[in-house]
Amino acid sequence: GENVEQHPSTLSVQEGDSAVIKCTYSDSASNYFPWYKQELGKRPQLIIDIRSNVGEKKDQRIAVTLNKTAKHFSLHITETQPEDSAVYFCAGKQRYSTLTFGKGTMLLVSP
Amino acid sequence: DGGITQSPKYLFRKEGQNVTLSCEQNLNHDAMYWYRQDPGQGLRLIYYSQIVNDFQKGDIAEGYSVSREKKESFPLTVTSAQKNPTAFYLCASTHLGIGDTEAFFGQGTRLTVV
């Protein structure tokens, strides 16, 4: 089955800096890669996703890049703000299959 | 108000007791999932179901059981065989099909053994 590795496990940045979280996946058949943000004590919520026919997707301060050849994808957050502090999960999925999550990255943005 | 609802929010279990966590969705999603979340462990899949009356074991199914008698409902029972049940449990649902879509999560149930 699919295996998703996520790095780093924790990331501390200063407000205004950029943050990058990287994930690798094992199954070349995976074609859908969402990113979820989970604030403390709350449910994970989708922030951005990318499909395998696209190399990059951007939504305001967040962007995701996908390298199918290398089987890795990354989340980029620019101009970080304290409210970006949360746990971020990447995931990979094949069509008609289940989502496999990475172990999460705790992002701390200091004012 | 469409969504996925878990209950209860907090649950306390005594040693040797079975407890059932509820998960209901009105999104008409085909697939439903149960995840366990421990600090530093991410989201680990317990069970999932892609169709009524059918379900599959995930990575950590031992000590848990599920049923899927209705499309809208996917309850999880934590049995006495689960030796370390204290955790945060999340239910999720998705469409299945040509266009993969996001997973919607319930608000979670925090289970504590007392």
Side-chain angles (χ1 to χ4, degrees):
Chain A
E2 174 68 282
N3 182 47
V4 176
E5 301 279 344
Q6 184 173 348
H7 299 279
S9 57
T10 58
L11 180 59
S12 295
V13 300
Q14 292 290 321
E15 183 177 1
D17 289 349
S18 295
V20 180
I21 302 170
K22 299 181 179 181
C23 290
T24 60
Y25 62 98
S26 61
D27 192 338
S28 57
S30 290
N31 58 4
Y32 175 64
F33 305 94
W35 285 88
Y36 287 82
K37 176 184 180 182
Q38 186 180 28
E39 296 177 353
L40 188 63
K42 296 189 176 180
R43 72 186 83 189
Q45 293 195 302
L46 181 75
I47 55 171
I48 196 167
D49 56 15
I50 192 167
R51 288 171 173 77
S52 58
N53 59 347
V54 175
E56 184 174 0
K57 185 177 180 180
K58 195 171 182 180
D59 183 4
Q60 299 182 344
R61 295 187 298 110
I62 60 173
V64 57
T65 58
L66 172 64
N67 183 327
K68 285 173 57 180
T69 303
K71 291 192 280 189
H72 66 70
F73 55 112
S74 300
L75 177 72
H76 304 253
I77 306 174
T78 59
E79 301 172 21
T80 54
Q81 301 167 3
E83 52 265 38
D84 293 329
S85 296
V87 178
Y88 292 81
F89 293 97
C90 63
K93 182 181 183 298
Q94 293 180 44
R95 190 172 296 173
Y96 295 108
S97 186
T98 62
L99 273 172
T100 299
F101 286 90
K103 290 192 173 183
T105 296
M106 181 176 292
L107 174 64
L108 177 61
V109 181
S110 303
Chain B
D1 182 27
I4 179 166
T5 303
Q6 285 184 242
S7 63
K9 189 172 182 181
Y10 299 98
L11 186 58
F12 298 90
R13 191 194 94 167
K14 294 181 180 179
E15 294 282 351
Q17 189 179 45
N18 293 356
V19 290
T20 298
L21 285 58
S22 171
C23 179
E24 304 275 335
Q25 55 97 2
N26 61 6
L27 301 166
N28 199 32
H29 283 172
D30 304 292
M32 298 186 74
Y33 311 81
W34 275 105
Y35 293 93
R36 170 177 171 147
Q37 188 172 29
D38 297 282
Q41 293 294 319
L43 297 167
R44 293 188 290 169
L45 183 63
I46 305 172
Y47 268 98
Y48 66 98
S49 168
Q50 296 183 323
I51 194 170
V52 173
N53 292 323
D54 187 53
F55 46 83
Q56 306 296 327
K57 291 182 179 180
D59 300 319
I60 56 165
E62 185 175 352
Y64 301 96
S65 66
V66 293
S67 63
R68 187 87 185 276
E69 297 177 1
K70 300 185 299 181
K71 187 175 184 179
E72 303 79 17
S73 179
F74 191 42
L76 173 74
T77 297
V78 184
T79 75
S80 57
Q82 171 50 240
K83 297 307 178 188
N84 184 23
T86 295
F88 189 54
Y89 292 87
L90 284 161
C91 179
S93 68
T94 65
H95 278 300
L96 285 177
I98 297 174
D100 287 303
T101 59
E102 68 180 285
F104 287 83
F105 285 86
Q107 71 269 38
T109 294
R110 190 166 297 281
L111 173 63
T112 304
V113 174
V114 296

